[in-house]
Amino acid sequence: MLLIPCPWCGPRDEAEFHYGGQAHVAYPENPAALSDEEWARYLFFRDNPKGLFAERWSHTAGCRRWFNAVRDTATNEIHAVYRVGEPRPVTA
Amino acid sequence: MTLRTPGADLPDHPDRLWRPAEPKRAYDVVIVGGGGHGLATAYYLAKNHGITNVAVLERGWLAGGNMARNTTIIRSNYLWDESVGIYEHALKLWEGLEEDLGYPLLFSQRGVLNLAHSLQDVRDSVRRVNANRLNGVDAEWLTPEQVKEVCPIVDISPHVRYPVLGGTYQPRAGIAKHDYVAWGFAKAAADLGVDMIEHCEVTGLDVRDGRVTGVQTTRGPIAAKKVALAAAGHSSVVAGYAGVSLPLQSHPLQALVSELLEPVHPTVVMSNAVHVYVSQAHKGELVMGAGIDAANSYRQRGAFHIIERQMSAALELFPVFARAHVLRTWGGVVDVTPDASPIVGLTPVEDLYVNCGWGTGGFKATPGVGWCYAHTVATGEPHPLNAPFSLDRFTTGKLVDEHGAAAVAH
């Protein structure tokens, strides 16, 4: 089980959180202009790295706020957490 | 009285089922991944298509990934025609597989119950039964009392939080011994000339002018006319070596067993709503699984609250399990697609084929996908049964949404 450091509440058990998948996926600025391939890429394709991954979490059983984390999917180690709207921090 | 060495009177070591091979410099087909799907594909390439200059590359030991970790449930009661096509093809192959491979698989058609716990569950289940019957798949809708007749230990009382309102039943469904399935395919394929190469991790794919020409491995480069990926949870990583991105997310999926118990559970029970699936292995363990861990991970372990929740679900359905003990839990890495259906077929790179995205339910398809994927690789054209599962369905929008019948939460 992960111990996730909520940037608002501090470290809490994974069971208090809801997962939101890849972070920093922006809605297309002009959806109508996208080709089918581009739309498919936005809708269905997400990064799936074995390694560092910027992802979204919501502290649903706590402050109920969304935030981002950088976690290593090969080890589950969380390298950074940061607030929505902040850029992805540089991690080792 | 003469002293004897302990064990001297034991029979000799049994014959090896396959000979471990050294990698050759080149093959007609290199299969990446020595799990059930890779082994079945190798077998049908050799048997159905006469292609025997084939290597199965496995980074660990044969069938030590998800093939060693699944809950062995076999069924074909999916909703859509496309899914029934490939899963029912697999089930028909299962029904003759022991004879075909000449190897015991402990294939047991003890049926599967998919329980309904809400009015919407009931409507969806009855719809699925009707769809199955139109597709020639054996399926019945059972009342709670009929559920109890099939599986007497299910609690159908109305006093639980999510009462059993009925269930679908597929009598031809069942379980098989996963290790034996892998060994049977490996032996049969090796007997036909396929090389089984273990401890050989693929670290790169050679692509020249849009065409794959070989693989880089921890045991050196291997040239290949065709490369067939069957790497399950690591598919994104391996396909990435050729610049092919796949709409996959890799998650841990956990399972667990109890200690060995007397036979108490005659069938397979799955419940989407309270969320657990349970069977009893031939040896006597209760085998249970539930949904994936929510967060992406390549770690072959998951969080304990997932186990805790599936145990409480199991206890609600089977109060008799209250005194059983969890003996062992484990996890595997499963590759999940947006529509809970697999991706089998061609890739944008010529001569590179992909079989992935089976998520939580690939075991049941083993012979069926092996058959169809071998056809796809041998002919360069998708087999009609895996044509609907092409990578480009995510662009055309022709998804095969099986979240309902997948029976495992994604």
Side-chain angles (χ1 to χ4, degrees):
Chain A
M1 184 165 326
L2 301 176
L3 186 65
I4 300 173
C6 171
W8 308 92
C9 310
R12 297 292 180 89
D13 191 299
E14 180 186 349
E16 293 188 12
F17 295 85
H18 184 86
Y19 189 60
Q22 185 179 351
H24 308 296
V25 180
Y27 190 77
E29 280 189 28
N30 187 1
L34 295 189
S35 67
D36 286 352
E37 282 76 20
E38 289 166 331
W39 185 246
R41 197 144 289 273
Y42 166 68
L43 211 52
F44 297 123
F45 287 71
R46 294 292 178 270
D47 293 345
N48 189 25
K50 185 177 186 177
L52 294 180
F53 187 48
E55 61 192 10
R56 301 178 303 168
W57 290 90
S58 172
H59 193 187
T60 39
C63 63
R64 298 194 51 76
R65 294 197 219 209
W66 284 94
F67 63 93
N68 294 333
V70 175
R71 184 174 53 92
D72 189 330
T73 61
T75 63
N76 280 347
E77 185 183 353
I78 296 173
H79 288 262
V81 292
Y82 52 106
R83 297 178 183 183
V84 169
E86 293 178 354
R88 175 175 172 165
V90 177
T91 46
Chain B
M1 187 182 167
T2 52
L3 286 175
R4 297 201 50 174
T5 309
D9 51 349
L10 288 174
D12 292 336
H13 190 287
D15 291 338
R16 301 277 173 190
L17 292 174
W18 61 86
R19 59 200 155 65
E22 287 299 312
K24 293 193 289 194
R25 287 172 55 190
Y27 289 92
D28 290 341
V29 179
V30 162
I31 295 170
V32 181
H37 287 197
L39 294 168
T41 304
Y43 171 65
Y44 290 115
L45 272 175
K47 184 190 175 218
N48 291 359
H49 304 280
I51 300 173
T52 58
N53 187 23
V54 175
V56 177
L57 308 186
E58 168 54 48
R59 72 186 184 122
W61 58 88
L62 281 195
N66 294 346
M67 193 60 176
R69 295 156 198 271
N70 68 85
T71 50
T72 81
I73 298 168
I74 295 164
R75 62 192 175 87
S76 64
N77 56 352
Y78 282 69
L79 177 64
W80 300 107
D81 298 354
E82 295 87 348
S83 312
V84 166
I86 195 158
Y87 289 112
E88 178 63 16
H89 178 56
L91 183 48
K92 290 203 169 86
L93 288 172
W94 280 113
E95 287 173 329
L97 200 57
E98 294 188 327
E99 292 77 7
D100 186 36
L101 297 178
Y103 197 79
L105 307 175
L106 300 188
F107 177 55
S108 163
Q109 289 178 292
R110 56 184 63 187
V112 62
L113 281 165
N114 291 82
L115 301 181
H117 300 267
S118 67
L119 190 55
Q120 189 61 49
D121 266 2
V122 172
R123 288 174 179 148
D124 291 345
S125 301
V126 171
R127 178 192 179 202
R128 187 159 49 76
V129 165
N130 290 333
N132 287 163
R133 296 173 86 136
L134 287 170
N135 272 318
V137 169
D138 57 322
E140 300 164 39
W141 169 254
L142 302 188
T143 64
E145 291 70 29
Q146 290 171 316
V147 166
K148 187 95 179 160
E149 278 173 35
V150 171
C151 188
I153 56 173
V154 175
D155 182 0
I156 59 163
S157 70
H159 308 298
V160 294
R161 186 167 174 194
Y162 300 107
V164 173
L165 301 183
T168 71
Y169 186 53
Q170 185 183 18
R172 287 164 60 240
I175 58 173
K177 178 82 180 158
H178 51 110
D179 290 332
Y180 291 8
V181 175
W183 300 341
F185 273 118
K187 178 185 185 318
D191 286 348
L192 292 170
V194 173
D195 279 358
M196 304 294 162
I197 303 169
E198 295 172 277
H199 308 292
C200 181
E201 182 172 357
V202 169
T203 55
L205 295 172
D206 301 329
V207 179
R208 198 175 305 144
D209 301 328
R211 175 188 292 266
V212 75
T213 57
V215 299
Q216 299 291 323
T217 80
T218 50
R219 295 177 67 175
I222 302 173
K225 290 182 184 156
K226 297 181 177 194
V227 176
L229 306 183
H234 278 73
S235 293
S236 295
V237 175
V238 181
Y241 295 145
V244 175
S245 56
L246 300 167
L248 298 175
Q249 298 282 281
S250 294
H251 294 266
L253 177 65
Q254 302 185 73
L256 62 91
V257 288
S258 73
E259 71 273 56
L260 306 186
L261 299 168
E262 293 292 318
V264 291
H265 185 7
T267 182
V268 180
V269 171
M270 312 184 74
S271 167
N272 259 7
V274 303
H275 212 52
V276 70
Y277 38 95
V278 188
S279 67
Q280 187 170 18
H282 293 81
K283 213 162 59 173
E285 312 103 308
L286 298 168
V287 184
M288 291 185 211
I292 57 172
D293 277 51
N296 293 23
S297 182
Y298 286 81
R299 292 270 283 164
Q300 286 175 316
R301 61 185 297 177
F304 189 71
H305 66 270
I306 306 286
I307 300 286
E308 207 171 10
R309 286 169 191 171
Q310 80 184 62
M311 295 302 291
S312 58
L315 276 186
E316 168 150 313
L317 291 176
F318 305 98
V320 69
F321 291 172
R323 294 185 188 192
H325 302 90
V326 173
L327 188 70
R328 194 166 72 245
T329 77
W330 64 90
V333 180
V334 300
D335 44 327
V336 174
T337 60
D339 59 356
S341 286
I343 300 167
V344 188
L346 281 52
T347 71
V349 176
E350 218 170 316
D351 297 329
L352 178 67
Y353 301 88
V354 69
N355 168 53
C356 65
W358 290 90
T360 58
F363 175 76
K364 66 177 77 68
T366 301
V369 69
W371 181 288
C372 296
Y373 195 34
H375 173 100
T376 303
V377 173
T379 64
E381 295 288 332
H383 187 283
L385 291 180
N386 66 258
F389 300 104
S390 67
L391 183 54
D392 68 5
R393 75 176 184 273
F394 297 97
T395 304
T396 63
K398 199 172 185 320
L399 304 186
V400 187
D401 181 3
E402 287 290 1
H403 280 104
V408 176
H410 290 91

